[in-house]
Amino acid sequence: IKYLMNNFAKTQHDACHQVGGAEFPDACGGCDPDRCADPPKEAIEQKSPEETKEDEFCPPCGNSICLDNKKNQCPPSLAAPYLCLSSGGCSMTAWDSGSCSKCCKLTEQCFQPFEPFPAPIAPTLPPVAAEPVVPAPTQSSPDEPVPVLIKEKKEEPESPVDSCPMCSVEECLNTKVNQCPRSLGAPFLCLAGNAYGGCSPTPWRTKEVHSDICKKCCKLSKQCWD
């Protein structure tokens, strides 16, 4: 900087800008007077004591918990992102130490697909026109019965009401299983299966292929806490 001021009649402002902004920005960028100054500490958003306490008791969930289907039964919509690791329950608000001994908070990264390498793209070949197959003529007697095609009856999808009926009084008062939030943000309680004690905002599918996740469930209502 002094070299530029003494030999090229540069002002201190111009010399600092040339060295810190144009020639050596990585090493001398702090000397550039035209560079934006760091924001004051007052402008940095600070968390409230309640938010700081929630982050300490329910930190972000690790990859091992996010990818464990037996532990993580919470909805991908993050409607109830606070996962209780001791019971498997999901809550819209942070758990307290009285109802859950250990918890973590799910984030969007927990539900993003993990693809380390892109799948190879198979070459596409032009379609080959198939020759029409002409059935051979058959002779049938007038008395021979004509075959009739019978359509198979498709099973109707499982109704959420049949899947998770309303919880009974005993199920509502069983605090060892029912640790769902009173806000009814996740009112469907799993009563049997790997997700035993888990809470979900949508009905558990107890009759699907992977029904071992939750084999029996019920729906909580406001009467459970009256």
Side-chain angles (χ1 to χ4, degrees):
I1 295 174
K2 291 183 178 180
Y3 175 79
L4 295 175
M5 295 173 61
N6 297 332
N7 294 277
F8 294 93
K10 294 277 187 178
T11 63
Q12 184 177 5
H13 180 278
D14 294 339
C16 291
H17 175 67
Q18 180 176 342
V19 174
E23 296 180 351
F24 307 100
D26 295 335
C28 303
C31 297
D32 184 9
D34 295 338
R35 175 173 291 189
C36 296
D38 296 333
K41 295 183 179 180
E42 292 78 8
I44 302 176
E45 183 179 358
Q46 297 182 356
K47 294 184 178 180
S48 63
E50 292 77 9
E51 293 176 341
T52 304
K53 186 177 180 181
E54 290 179 0
D55 293 341
E56 293 177 355
F57 185 67
C58 295
C61 299
N63 293 334
S64 59
I65 298 176
C66 290
L67 301 177
D68 193 339
N69 295 331
K70 293 183 179 180
K71 292 182 180 179
N72 180 15
Q73 294 292 330
C74 297
S77 63
L78 298 178
Y82 293 94
L83 171 62
C84 181
L85 300 177
S86 57
S87 66
C90 311
S91 175
M92 297 176 62
T93 57
W95 297 89
D96 56 74
S97 57
S99 57
C100 179
S101 59
K102 186 178 181 181
C103 73
C104 67
K105 184 178 182 180
L106 299 168
T107 59
E108 295 180 356
Q109 287 74 13
C110 287
F111 301 99
Q112 292 180 353
F114 177 73
E115 296 181 358
F117 299 101
I121 301 175
T124 57
L125 300 177
V128 179
E131 297 181 357
V133 178
V134 180
T138 57
Q139 295 180 356
S140 58
S141 62
D143 300 333
E144 184 177 352
V146 179
V148 179
L149 297 178
I150 302 176
K151 295 183 179 180
E152 296 182 358
K153 185 178 180 181
K154 296 183 179 180
E155 295 183 359
E156 297 182 356
E158 180 182 3
S159 172
V161 178
D162 299 335
S163 173
C164 295
M166 300 303 295
C167 296
S168 63
V169 178
E170 291 78 8
E171 293 166 342
C172 289
L173 299 178
N174 189 354
T175 56
K176 294 183 179 180
V177 181
N178 179 16
Q179 296 186 11
C180 298
R182 296 191 177 189
S183 61
L184 297 179
F188 295 96
L189 172 63
C190 182
L191 301 174
N194 295 332
Y196 176 74
C199 312
S200 173
T202 56
W204 298 93
R205 296 298 182 181
T206 58
K207 296 182 181 180
E208 290 186 352
V209 178
H210 302 288
S211 60
D212 55 339
I213 296 177
C214 183
K215 299 180 180 179
K216 182 182 179 182
C217 64
C218 68
K219 183 179 181 180
L220 300 167
S221 63
K222 293 183 179 180
Q223 286 74 15
C224 288
W225 289 280
D226 290 343

